[in-house]
Amino acid sequence: MLKYQDHKLAVAPMMDWTDRHCRFFHRQLTQRALLYTEMVVADAVIHGARERLLGFDETEHPVALQLGGSDAQKLAEAARIGEAFGYDEINLNVGCPSDRVQSGTFGACLMKVPDLVANCVAAMKAAVTIPVTVKCRIGVDEQDPEPALDALADGVFAAGADALWVHARKAWLEGLSPKENRDIPPLDYDRVYRLKARKSNKFIGINGGVQSLEEAARHLDHVDGAMLGRAAYHTPGILAGVDAAFYGGKAGTYDFAALIDTMADYAARHIEQGGRFGHVTRHMVGLFHGLPGARRFRQILSTDATKPGAGPDVLKAAFAAVDFDRVEKAA
């Protein structure tokens, strides 16, 4: 069984992106990175279509379920359900700045009520045997990130949290859109480093603006884990280097042809179950970013894959457009 300290590299939970098809795809690129679901609201877990909301492929492990909410008992019940589904971790969202999050009193606005967050963590810890973690910002709105982040961290660790992942930006709930909140507030990695120095015996992971595995490795000189977000989604090919860079895996040329075969078979099964081909391939369009033929690969998946009746042959046609011979000659 993995120790939490083994989670040096994670792929961030991203709304509308890290669904089960995305996670299956990412898992083919890295066997070791910790994967996260999109945020799922506790009420939906309790009352909604659980298989649709929580179902995942066994190959996705290690995989964490991120919950949204602020009612301790509902979060505890949702955590129990998540554990029963087989998730390896339950994570509480204290960082999302979207409008629908604010209206539901969860996400980044919970930075203002660290005692409530601690109560939620304590209830979830009492309900499950798997790790319970928190993902937060360094502060919100006019908060001073020094006392704000310390108060949140002190509370959740006292309540038993196994790890704290920190997006190293403030969230501005007034005046910035959710999209703007991902870019405009300045990154303050040093604030997260200071938290780790103060909490030297606790797992502190960092998130926000990490663009490459090299950047992630530099962060690990200061914190325990690094989390890739948009870089992993828009240029997923970088995940193929994770196991060798962080987990002692064997370095070498990744077998992209085998990946395409695996994803084509996966997509075929999804279609047989009533799904659409585009549900799978929409996560793959950036796979060959920077390689000869990547633009054509992207075009085919963005157009042909969404047409009625599209199937695995479209993915294989797109792959055929990538010119690996030119890559090898250039090397």
Side-chain angles (χ1 to χ4, degrees):
M1 184 176 179
L2 286 174
K3 297 178 181 177
Y4 205 89
Q5 293 296 133
D6 294 330
H7 294 312
K8 297 176 183 177
L9 199 288
V11 178
M14 292 175 278
M15 293 294 288
D16 300 321
W17 286 357
T18 51
D19 63 17
R20 63 188 301 174
H21 309 305
C22 176
R23 298 192 306 270
F24 181 89
F25 168 50
H26 285 173
R27 181 56 72 219
Q28 309 315 306
L29 294 161
T30 166
Q31 295 299 300
R32 297 293 301 276
L34 175 61
L35 304 181
Y36 280 82
T37 69
E38 305 169 84
M39 183 190 69
V40 186
V41 178
D43 274 326
V45 172
I46 296 168
H47 303 294
R50 292 178 186 174
E51 179 56 38
R52 179 179 61 81
L53 291 168
L54 302 181
F56 65 95
D57 191 282
E58 284 298 309
T59 61
E60 292 175 38
H61 292 293
V63 58
L65 169 64
Q66 187 182 67
L67 295 176
S70 58
D71 183 300
Q73 295 312 307
K74 288 181 179 179
L75 284 165
E77 177 61 21
R80 275 192 291 268
I81 294 167
E83 182 178 40
F85 260 78
Y87 283 96
D88 300 296
E89 171 190 330
I90 305 296
N91 178 267
L92 178 61
N93 184 322
V94 188
C96 182
S98 78
D99 295 338
R100 52 182 162 168
V101 164
Q102 292 183 57
S103 65
T105 319
F106 50 90
C109 61
L110 292 178
M111 291 293 301
K112 298 178 180 179
V113 283
D115 289 345
L116 174 59
V117 177
N119 289 339
C120 291
V121 169
M124 295 161 73
K125 281 292 292 183
V128 300
T129 60
I130 56 177
V132 172
T133 67
V134 174
K135 188 170 184 288
C136 69
R137 294 282 184 130
I138 60 173
V140 294
D141 297 337
E142 300 297 339
Q143 281 186 325
D144 180 344
E146 293 299 325
L149 184 57
D150 280 349
L152 192 284
D154 289 346
V156 300
F157 282 126
D162 295 277
L164 181 64
W165 292 92
V166 185
H167 186 149
R169 305 178 198 269
K170 269 190 171 185
W172 286 92
L173 305 180
E174 301 291 337
L176 291 181
S177 70
K179 183 177 185 298
E180 290 170 330
N181 261 297
R182 294 194 290 268
D183 293 301
I184 293 177
L187 286 159
D188 188 353
Y189 295 135
D190 287 341
R191 177 63 191 97
V192 187
Y193 298 166
R194 290 195 296 276
L195 176 65
K196 175 57 188 177
R198 195 173 73 84
K199 295 283 190 185
S200 59
N201 63 333
K202 302 296 185 182
F203 185 102
I204 305 292
I206 202 163
N207 172 229
V210 183
Q211 296 298 313
S212 68
L213 300 188
E214 292 74 22
E215 284 184 42
R218 289 195 292 271
H219 283 302
L220 293 182
D221 291 335
H222 306 278
V223 293
D224 303 295
M227 185 176 271
L228 294 173
R230 284 170 289 169
Y233 190 82
H234 291 307
T235 57
I238 66 174
L239 296 177
V242 165
D243 295 354
F246 298 98
Y247 298 102
K250 185 178 179 181
T253 303
Y254 183 82
D255 189 345
F256 284 105
L259 168 67
I260 296 300
D261 286 342
T262 297
M263 294 308 300
D265 290 344
Y266 176 85
R269 293 195 302 271
H270 178 59
I271 292 168
E272 288 173 2
Q273 294 165 3
R276 294 201 298 271
F277 186 58
H279 291 164
V280 176
T281 56
R282 73 184 185 96
H283 304 298
M284 300 178 65
V285 293
L287 177 58
F288 297 110
H289 178 79
L291 297 183
R295 183 179 180 184
R296 182 60 184 145
F297 177 87
R298 193 165 56 246
Q299 286 174 335
I300 293 171
L301 290 193
S302 298
T303 56
D304 294 357
T306 61
K307 294 177 180 177
D313 287 348
V314 173
L315 179 56
K316 294 187 177 182
F319 180 59
V322 184
D323 192 345
F324 287 98
D325 289 341
R326 282 176 58 190
V327 177
E328 292 171 2
K329 289 174 182 176

Short mmCIF file of all heavy atoms in Angstrom, two decimals, residues 188-226:
data_model
loop_
_atom_site.label_atom_id
_atom_site.label_comp_id
_atom_site.label_asym_id
_atom_site.label_seq_id
_atom_site.Cartn_x
_atom_site.Cartn_y
_atom_site.Cartn_z
N ASP A 188 2.36 32.86 -5.54
CA ASP A 188 3.25 33.11 -4.40
C ASP A 188 3.72 31.76 -3.86
O ASP A 188 3.24 31.27 -2.83
CB ASP A 188 2.51 33.91 -3.32
CG ASP A 188 3.44 34.36 -2.20
OD1 ASP A 188 4.62 33.95 -2.19
OD2 ASP A 188 2.98 35.11 -1.31
N TYR A 189 4.64 31.16 -4.59
CA TYR A 189 5.16 29.85 -4.17
C TYR A 189 5.86 29.92 -2.82
O TYR A 189 5.79 28.97 -2.03
CB TYR A 189 6.13 29.31 -5.22
CG TYR A 189 5.52 29.00 -6.57
CD1 TYR A 189 6.15 29.40 -7.74
CD2 TYR A 189 4.31 28.30 -6.67
CE1 TYR A 189 5.61 29.10 -8.99
CE2 TYR A 189 3.76 28.01 -7.91
CZ TYR A 189 4.41 28.41 -9.07
OH TYR A 189 3.88 28.12 -10.30
N ASP A 190 6.53 31.06 -2.57
CA ASP A 190 7.26 31.17 -1.31
C ASP A 190 6.34 31.05 -0.10
O ASP A 190 6.76 30.56 0.95
CB ASP A 190 8.01 32.51 -1.25
CG ASP A 190 9.23 32.54 -2.16
OD1 ASP A 190 9.71 31.45 -2.55
OD2 ASP A 190 9.70 33.64 -2.50
N ARG A 191 5.09 31.49 -0.26
CA ARG A 191 4.16 31.38 0.88
C ARG A 191 3.91 29.90 1.21
O ARG A 191 3.82 29.52 2.39
CB ARG A 191 2.82 32.07 0.54
CG ARG A 191 1.77 31.92 1.64
CD ARG A 191 2.23 32.59 2.93
NE ARG A 191 1.42 32.28 4.09
CZ ARG A 191 1.72 31.34 4.98
NH1 ARG A 191 2.78 30.56 4.82
NH2 ARG A 191 0.95 31.17 6.04
N VAL A 192 3.82 29.07 0.18
CA VAL A 192 3.62 27.64 0.40
C VAL A 192 4.88 27.02 0.99
O VAL A 192 4.82 26.16 1.88
CB VAL A 192 3.20 26.93 -0.89
CG1 VAL A 192 2.81 25.48 -0.61
CG2 VAL A 192 2.02 27.67 -1.55
N TYR A 193 6.03 27.45 0.50
CA TYR A 193 7.29 26.95 1.06
C TYR A 193 7.39 27.27 2.55
O TYR A 193 7.86 26.44 3.34
CB TYR A 193 8.49 27.57 0.34
CG TYR A 193 8.62 27.28 -1.14
CD1 TYR A 193 9.49 28.03 -1.93
CD2 TYR A 193 7.90 26.26 -1.77
CE1 TYR A 193 9.65 27.80 -3.28
CE2 TYR A 193 8.03 26.02 -3.12
CZ TYR A 193 8.91 26.79 -3.87
OH TYR A 193 9.06 26.55 -5.22
N ARG A 194 6.98 28.48 2.93
CA ARG A 194 7.04 28.86 4.34
C ARG A 194 6.11 27.99 5.18
O ARG A 194 6.43 27.63 6.32
CB ARG A 194 6.69 30.34 4.53
CG ARG A 194 7.73 31.30 3.99
CD ARG A 194 7.53 32.71 4.50
NE ARG A 194 6.28 33.32 4.06
CZ ARG A 194 6.11 33.93 2.89
NH1 ARG A 194 7.12 33.97 2.00
NH2 ARG A 194 4.95 34.49 2.57
N LEU A 195 4.96 27.65 4.61
CA LEU A 195 4.04 26.77 5.34
C LEU A 195 4.70 25.41 5.57
O LEU A 195 4.62 24.85 6.67
CB LEU A 195 2.74 26.59 4.57
CG LEU A 195 1.74 25.60 5.19
CD1 LEU A 195 1.24 26.11 6.54
CD2 LEU A 195 0.57 25.35 4.24
N LYS A 196 5.36 24.89 4.55
CA LYS A 196 6.03 23.59 4.69
C LYS A 196 7.14 23.67 5.75
O LYS A 196 7.32 22.74 6.55
CB LYS A 196 6.60 23.14 3.34
CG LYS A 196 7.43 21.84 3.43
CD LYS A 196 6.63 20.69 4.03
CE LYS A 196 7.52 19.49 4.28
NZ LYS A 196 6.80 18.37 4.93
N ALA A 197 7.87 24.78 5.76
CA ALA A 197 8.94 24.92 6.75
C ALA A 197 8.36 24.92 8.17
O ALA A 197 8.95 24.37 9.10
CB ALA A 197 9.71 26.21 6.50
N ARG A 198 7.17 25.50 8.31
CA ARG A 198 6.53 25.55 9.64
C ARG A 198 5.88 24.22 9.98
O ARG A 198 5.79 23.85 11.16
CB ARG A 198 5.48 26.67 9.64
CG ARG A 198 5.00 27.07 11.04
CD ARG A 198 4.11 28.28 10.98
NE ARG A 198 2.80 27.99 10.45
CZ ARG A 198 1.77 27.51 11.17
NH1 ARG A 198 1.93 27.24 12.45
NH2 ARG A 198 0.61 27.29 10.61
N LYS A 199 5.42 23.50 8.96
CA LYS A 199 4.76 22.20 9.17
C LYS A 199 5.65 21.10 8.58
O LYS A 199 5.23 20.35 7.68
CB LYS A 199 3.39 22.19 8.49
CG LYS A 199 2.38 23.15 9.08
CD LYS A 199 1.81 22.62 10.38
CE LYS A 199 0.65 23.43 10.89
NZ LYS A 199 0.19 22.96 12.21
N SER A 200 6.85 21.00 9.07
CA SER A 200 7.84 20.13 8.44
C SER A 200 7.45 18.66 8.48
O SER A 200 7.89 17.87 7.64
CB SER A 200 9.20 20.31 9.11
OG SER A 200 9.13 20.01 10.49
N ASN A 201 6.61 18.28 9.42
CA ASN A 201 6.23 16.86 9.55
C ASN A 201 4.89 16.55 8.88
O ASN A 201 4.36 15.45 9.04
CB ASN A 201 6.17 16.46 11.02
CG ASN A 201 5.10 17.23 11.78
OD1 ASN A 201 4.76 18.35 11.41
ND2 ASN A 201 4.58 16.64 12.85
N LYS A 202 4.34 17.49 8.13
CA LYS A 202 3.07 17.29 7.44
C LYS A 202 3.28 17.33 5.93
O LYS A 202 4.16 18.02 5.43
CB LYS A 202 2.05 18.36 7.84
CG LYS A 202 1.75 18.42 9.34
CD LYS A 202 1.09 17.15 9.83
CE LYS A 202 0.69 17.28 11.30
NZ LYS A 202 0.10 16.02 11.82
N PHE A 203 2.42 16.61 5.20
CA PHE A 203 2.51 16.61 3.74
C PHE A 203 1.89 17.89 3.20
O PHE A 203 0.70 18.16 3.39
CB PHE A 203 1.78 15.40 3.14
CG PHE A 203 1.94 15.29 1.63
CD1 PHE A 203 2.82 14.37 1.09
CD2 PHE A 203 1.21 16.11 0.76
CE1 PHE A 203 2.97 14.26 -0.29
CE2 PHE A 203 1.36 16.01 -0.62
CZ PHE A 203 2.24 15.08 -1.15
N ILE A 204 2.72 18.69 2.53
CA ILE A 204 2.27 19.91 1.86
C ILE A 204 2.59 19.77 0.38
O ILE A 204 3.75 19.57 0.00
CB ILE A 204 2.97 21.17 2.42
CG1 ILE A 204 2.79 21.28 3.94
CG2 ILE A 204 2.45 22.43 1.70
CD1 ILE A 204 1.39 21.56 4.40
N GLY A 205 1.57 19.87 -0.46
CA GLY A 205 1.76 19.83 -1.90
C GLY A 205 1.46 21.18 -2.51
O GLY A 205 0.69 21.97 -1.95
N ILE A 206 2.05 21.46 -3.65
CA ILE A 206 1.89 22.77 -4.29
C ILE A 206 1.22 22.62 -5.66
O ILE A 206 1.40 21.62 -6.36
CB ILE A 206 3.25 23.47 -4.43
CG1 ILE A 206 3.09 24.98 -4.58
CG2 ILE A 206 4.08 22.88 -5.57
CD1 ILE A 206 4.37 25.75 -4.31
N ASN A 207 0.42 23.62 -6.01
CA ASN A 207 -0.34 23.64 -7.26
C ASN A 207 -0.38 25.08 -7.77
O ASN A 207 -0.26 26.01 -7.00
CB ASN A 207 -1.75 23.10 -6.99
CG ASN A 207 -2.71 23.26 -8.17
OD1 ASN A 207 -3.82 23.74 -8.02
ND2 ASN A 207 -2.30 22.86 -9.35
N GLY A 208 -0.53 25.22 -9.08
CA GLY A 208 -0.69 26.55 -9.65
C GLY A 208 0.46 26.93 -10.57
O GLY A 208 1.58 27.14 -10.11
N GLY A 209 0.19 26.98 -11.87
CA GLY A 209 1.17 27.47 -12.82
C GLY A 209 2.34 26.57 -13.11
O GLY A 209 3.31 26.99 -13.75
N VAL A 210 2.30 25.32 -12.66
CA VAL A 210 3.42 24.39 -12.92
C VAL A 210 3.29 23.91 -14.36
O VAL A 210 2.34 23.23 -14.72
CB VAL A 210 3.40 23.20 -11.94
CG1 VAL A 210 4.62 22.31 -12.19
CG2 VAL A 210 3.38 23.69 -10.50
N GLN A 211 4.29 24.25 -15.18
CA GLN A 211 4.19 24.02 -16.62
C GLN A 211 4.95 22.80 -17.13
O GLN A 211 4.75 22.38 -18.26
CB GLN A 211 4.71 25.26 -17.37
CG GLN A 211 3.89 26.51 -17.13
CD GLN A 211 2.46 26.36 -17.61
OE1 GLN A 211 2.21 25.89 -18.72
NE2 GLN A 211 1.50 26.76 -16.78
N SER A 212 5.84 22.25 -16.31
CA SER A 212 6.67 21.16 -16.81
C SER A 212 7.11 20.26 -15.66
O SER A 212 6.99 20.63 -14.48
CB SER A 212 7.93 21.73 -17.49
OG SER A 212 8.77 22.35 -16.53
N LEU A 213 7.63 19.09 -16.01
CA LEU A 213 8.14 18.18 -14.99
C LEU A 213 9.38 18.77 -14.33
O LEU A 213 9.64 18.53 -13.14
CB LEU A 213 8.48 16.82 -15.60
CG LEU A 213 7.31 16.07 -16.26
CD1 LEU A 213 7.76 14.66 -16.64
CD2 LEU A 213 6.09 16.02 -15.36
N GLU A 214 10.14 19.56 -15.07
CA GLU A 214 11.32 20.20 -14.50
C GLU A 214 10.92 21.20 -13.41
O GLU A 214 11.54 21.26 -12.34
CB GLU A 214 12.13 20.90 -15.60
CG GLU A 214 12.80 19.97 -16.59
CD GLU A 214 11.83 19.33 -17.58
OE1 GLU A 214 10.72 19.89 -17.79
OE2 GLU A 214 12.16 18.26 -18.14
N GLU A 215 9.87 21.96 -13.67
CA GLU A 215 9.37 22.89 -12.66
C GLU A 215 8.86 22.12 -11.44
O GLU A 215 9.10 22.52 -10.29
CB GLU A 215 8.25 23.76 -13.22
CG GLU A 215 8.70 24.87 -14.13
CD GLU A 215 7.53 25.74 -14.56
OE1 GLU A 215 6.67 26.05 -13.69
OE2 GLU A 215 7.46 26.12 -15.73
N ALA A 216 8.14 21.05 -11.68
CA ALA A 216 7.63 20.24 -10.57
C ALA A 216 8.77 19.74 -9.71
O ALA A 216 8.70 19.77 -8.47
CB ALA A 216 6.81 19.08 -11.11
N ALA A 217 9.84 19.28 -10.34
CA ALA A 217 10.99 18.75 -9.60
C ALA A 217 11.62 19.84 -8.74
O ALA A 217 12.05 19.58 -7.60
CB ALA A 217 12.01 18.17 -10.57
N ARG A 218 11.68 21.07 -9.25
CA ARG A 218 12.25 22.16 -8.45
C ARG A 218 11.41 22.44 -7.22
O ARG A 218 11.94 22.74 -6.14
CB ARG A 218 12.41 23.41 -9.31
CG ARG A 218 13.52 23.29 -10.36
CD ARG A 218 13.90 24.63 -10.94
NE ARG A 218 12.86 25.22 -11.76
CZ ARG A 218 12.72 25.00 -13.06
NH1 ARG A 218 13.55 24.16 -13.69
NH2 ARG A 218 11.75 25.59 -13.75
N HIS A 219 10.09 22.36 -7.36
CA HIS A 219 9.23 22.57 -6.20
C HIS A 219 9.48 21.52 -5.11
O HIS A 219 9.35 21.80 -3.92
CB HIS A 219 7.75 22.53 -6.61
CG HIS A 219 7.29 23.77 -7.30
ND1 HIS A 219 7.36 25.02 -6.72
CD2 HIS A 219 6.71 23.96 -8.53
CE1 HIS A 219 6.86 25.93 -7.54
NE2 HIS A 219 6.46 25.31 -8.65
N LEU A 220 9.82 20.31 -5.55
CA LEU A 220 10.02 19.23 -4.58
C LEU A 220 11.26 19.43 -3.72
O LEU A 220 11.48 18.69 -2.75
CB LEU A 220 10.09 17.88 -5.30
CG LEU A 220 8.77 17.43 -5.96
CD1 LEU A 220 8.94 16.07 -6.61
CD2 LEU A 220 7.63 17.40 -4.96
N ASP A 221 12.07 20.45 -4.04
CA ASP A 221 13.15 20.83 -3.13
C ASP A 221 12.60 21.53 -1.89
O ASP A 221 13.32 21.69 -0.90
CB ASP A 221 14.14 21.76 -3.84
CG ASP A 221 14.94 21.06 -4.93
OD1 ASP A 221 15.11 19.82 -4.84
OD2 ASP A 221 15.39 21.74 -5.86
N HIS A 222 11.34 21.97 -1.96
CA HIS A 222 10.75 22.78 -0.88
C HIS A 222 9.50 22.17 -0.26
O HIS A 222 9.19 22.47 0.89
CB HIS A 222 10.40 24.18 -1.42
CG HIS A 222 11.54 24.88 -2.08
ND1 HIS A 222 12.50 25.56 -1.37
CD2 HIS A 222 11.86 25.00 -3.39
CE1 HIS A 222 13.39 26.08 -2.22
NE2 HIS A 222 13.02 25.76 -3.44
N VAL A 223 8.76 21.37 -1.04
CA VAL A 223 7.51 20.79 -0.55
C VAL A 223 7.49 19.30 -0.88
O VAL A 223 8.43 18.77 -1.48
CB VAL A 223 6.28 21.50 -1.18
CG1 VAL A 223 6.18 22.94 -0.70
CG2 VAL A 223 6.34 21.44 -2.71
N ASP A 224 6.42 18.63 -0.49
CA ASP A 224 6.36 17.16 -0.62
C ASP A 224 5.79 16.68 -1.95
O ASP A 224 6.09 15.56 -2.38
CB ASP A 224 5.51 16.59 0.51
CG ASP A 224 6.05 16.97 1.87
OD1 ASP A 224 7.17 16.53 2.20
OD2 ASP A 224 5.37 17.72 2.60
N GLY A 225 4.94 17.48 -2.56
CA GLY A 225 4.29 17.06 -3.80
C GLY A 225 4.04 18.24 -4.71
O GLY A 225 3.92 19.39 -4.26
N ALA A 226 3.98 17.98 -6.00
CA ALA A 226 3.67 19.00 -6.99
C ALA A 226 2.49 18.51 -7.82
O ALA A 226 2.39 17.33 -8.15
CB ALA A 226 4.86 19.30 -7.89
#
